[in-house]
Amino acid sequence: MKAQKAVLKSIDWKGDKLSLLDQRKIPVAKEFIDCKTLDDVIFCIKSMVVRGAPAIAMTGIFGLVLELKNTKEKLVYEKFLRRTRALLDSRPTAVNLRLAIEDYLKLISEKAYIANPLPELIKLSEKYALSMLEEDLKWNLAIGKNGVDLFSKKQKEISILTHCNTGALATAGHGTAIGIIRSLRDAGYKVTVYADETRPYQQGSRLTAWEMQEEKIPCYIVAEGMSAWLFQNRKIDAVIVGADRIAPNGDTANKIGTYALAIVAKENKIPFYVAATKTSFDFSLKDGSQIPIEMRDEEELTQNSFLKDTSGNSYLPKGILSPIKSHALNPAFDVTPSKYISGIVTELGVIQPVNKREIKRVVG
Ligand code: MRU
């Protein structure tokens, strides 16, 4: 019998608690944190135990299941709505969490709440949260397939630069931009990945490089700001990144550093693709200038504070950044104007060219 490859499950629902792979510790340790309450879940989202727009949304909905499960007396709907708003505030840029909460509240509406006893609401909520995991994996596989079609069948070797982490850690599995990389490998291409470091949280050099190592996909970590050199000195076939929020005109918010990468890619005539599910589109906006950008703690830059546990022990070797008494700016995301984006790969098809009409046609 062929050995089954273990699937990385970073969000694991145990029925009475949610187990989350602690992404702050990867690749040094593979440890899970158990969430038993909505507050535990909010802590894990804020502190980036769990991160990546789809993973945040799915985790958040499991948090609401826990909120219902922990309701001892009668559920007060107004209070429950207040709790959903606290969850929503945990990380403001990715739209996935907001859309998931809105969709979930159609199911657990005030009407449903009046008509159903609490155990029934819990059952409905649990089913909804589990279906999100299933659906996300299905969508990512479809993105992967659509992404493979962007490349010539004749080409045997493909080199891709990616930013941040959009893999199994950030989704229910497979991934979006990294999903395309996995699908290219599965389709028989020899893929080489360049993982942009992604400062300050180092999602590229810690998380993407780790996922590639686990998958045995050849990967080079490249330092932030190295892309211009890379495009001049290596054959890069495409840049593929994820998204946290896409405006109706295609302007895309993603991890800080994406915009600079897109400009350099265009200047060097390298195709720049965004890979995302329909749940990354925010049709309530006019354009990318309306996307709220999360400003994070300046200590993430000056002291690597996010890589310390509660006792102050660092997960990384000492000396990577020395503690310094300076202010730092730490916007977590930037917005890439649509003119720099060659195509948006979704589970429903590829949006190319990137404009309002095409976006409406494919995902609207
Ligand atoms: O701050 P993070 O790590 O949550 O930022 C993640 C990203 O920017 C990803 O590219 C995006 O969420 C898509 S993940 C499929």
Side-chain angles (χ1 to χ4, degrees):
M1 209 173 78
K2 215 175 141 200
Q4 197 83 45
K5 196 173 176 297
V7 179
L8 173 67
K9 232 179 173 186
S10 54
I11 304 170
D12 198 6
W13 178 242
K14 307 274 198 199
D16 58 343
K17 62 184 179 199
L18 184 68
S19 250
L20 295 173
L21 181 61
D22 189 345
Q23 298 192 33
R24 298 170 306 174
K25 297 189 179 180
I26 300 280
V28 177
K30 203 171 156 186
E31 286 171 15
F32 282 81
I33 288 192
D34 285 343
C35 297
K36 294 187 173 153
T37 64
L38 176 60
D39 285 327
D40 291 347
V41 163
I42 291 175
F43 165 80
C44 284
I45 293 175
K46 277 190 176 160
S47 62
M48 291 171 79
V49 166
V50 60
R51 38 127 323 264
I56 291 170
M58 293 179 286
T59 302
I61 299 299
F62 278 113
L64 295 177
V65 180
L66 289 170
E67 176 74 6
L68 290 182
K69 285 202 170 214
N70 287 320
T71 303
K72 296 276 178 297
E73 290 151 27
K74 207 173 136 40
L75 176 75
V76 180
Y77 197 69
E78 248 323 298
K79 187 176 162 228
F80 184 63
L81 283 185
R82 271 203 306 278
R83 299 289 283 151
T84 66
R85 285 194 284 273
L87 169 64
L88 191 54
D89 289 343
S90 57
R91 289 202 72 194
T93 299
V95 74
N96 308 55
L97 177 61
R98 193 194 83 207
L99 296 182
I101 293 175
E102 282 172 9
D103 201 42
Y104 168 77
L105 286 178
K106 283 183 203 147
L107 183 76
I108 308 299
S109 61
E110 191 155 19
K111 223 162 114 190
Y113 152 75
I114 292 166
N116 293 289
L118 188 56
E120 191 55 32
L121 294 178
I122 293 173
K123 223 161 96 188
L124 282 172
S125 300
E126 205 168 341
K127 201 167 150 213
Y128 179 89
L130 289 168
S131 74
M132 279 184 84
L133 284 173
E134 261 175 49
E135 229 166 16
D136 189 60
L137 180 58
K138 204 171 74 195
W139 292 337
N140 289 337
L141 291 167
I143 287 178
K145 191 170 168 294
N146 292 335
V148 169
D149 292 342
L150 293 171
F151 297 89
S152 154
K153 301 271 174 292
K154 291 187 199 132
Q155 197 173 343
K156 297 222 160 24
E157 298 186 9
I158 296 178
S159 293
I160 289 169
L161 171 65
T162 189
H163 189 63
C164 196
N165 171 271
T166 59
L169 291 169
T171 62
H174 201 67
T176 55
I178 288 183
I180 297 177
I181 289 167
R182 282 195 164 97
S183 294
L184 283 167
R185 186 270 319 268
D186 295 345
Y189 290 95
K190 188 170 175 281
V191 190
T192 302
V193 173
Y194 291 86
D196 207 14
E197 191 178 26
T198 317
R199 282 185 178 266
Y201 192 77
Q202 291 163 296
Q203 289 94 330
S205 53
R206 293 188 305 113
L207 310 179
T208 295
W210 180 74
E211 281 199 41
M212 295 300 98
Q213 181 180 289
E214 296 280 297
E215 290 274 337
K216 301 194 173 41
I217 297 176
C219 174
Y220 294 89
I221 293 167
V222 288
E224 196 94 5
M226 208 186 260
S227 56
W229 178 89
L230 195 67
F231 295 149
Q232 280 179 334
N233 292 281
R234 291 283 186 279
K235 188 183 163 299
I236 304 294
D237 295 292
V239 178
I240 314 181
V241 300
D244 287 86
R245 196 185 295 224
I246 306 173
N249 68 340
D251 294 350
T252 297
N254 191 50
K255 178 52 52 192
I256 188 81
T258 303
Y259 178 23
L261 204 53
I263 295 172
V264 181
K266 193 173 173 112
E267 180 64 25
N268 287 276
K269 301 188 174 46
I270 312 282
F272 183 93
Y273 295 109
V274 169
T277 63
K278 192 185 163 179
T279 55
S280 296
F281 288 81
D282 186 350
F283 288 104
S284 73
L285 306 176
K286 196 171 135 275
D287 56 39
S289 67
Q290 295 180 326
I291 299 176
I293 299 296
E294 175 188 6
M295 295 300 287
R296 291 187 63 86
D297 192 338
E298 54 190 300
E299 284 196 349
E300 284 186 351
L301 266 161
T302 56
Q303 301 193 30
N304 265 349
S305 63
F306 70 95
L307 292 170
K308 284 182 184 145
D309 63 21
T310 42
S311 330
N313 300 316
S314 176
Y315 306 134
L316 278 185
K318 284 200 169 65
I320 285 191
L321 273 181
S322 62
I324 186 159
K325 283 193 183 65
S326 165
H327 286 298
L329 268 181
N330 191 10
F333 302 94
D334 57 26
V335 177
T336 302
S338 59
K339 66 176 179 180
Y340 293 104
I341 303 171
S342 317
I344 304 178
V345 188
T346 75
E347 71 279 21
L348 300 168
V350 180
I351 298 160
Q352 197 177 27
V354 180
N355 61 40
K356 256 187 187 160
R357 250 179 77 191
E358 198 55 11
I359 289 174
K360 195 115 193 94
R361 189 183 71 75
V362 180
V363 293

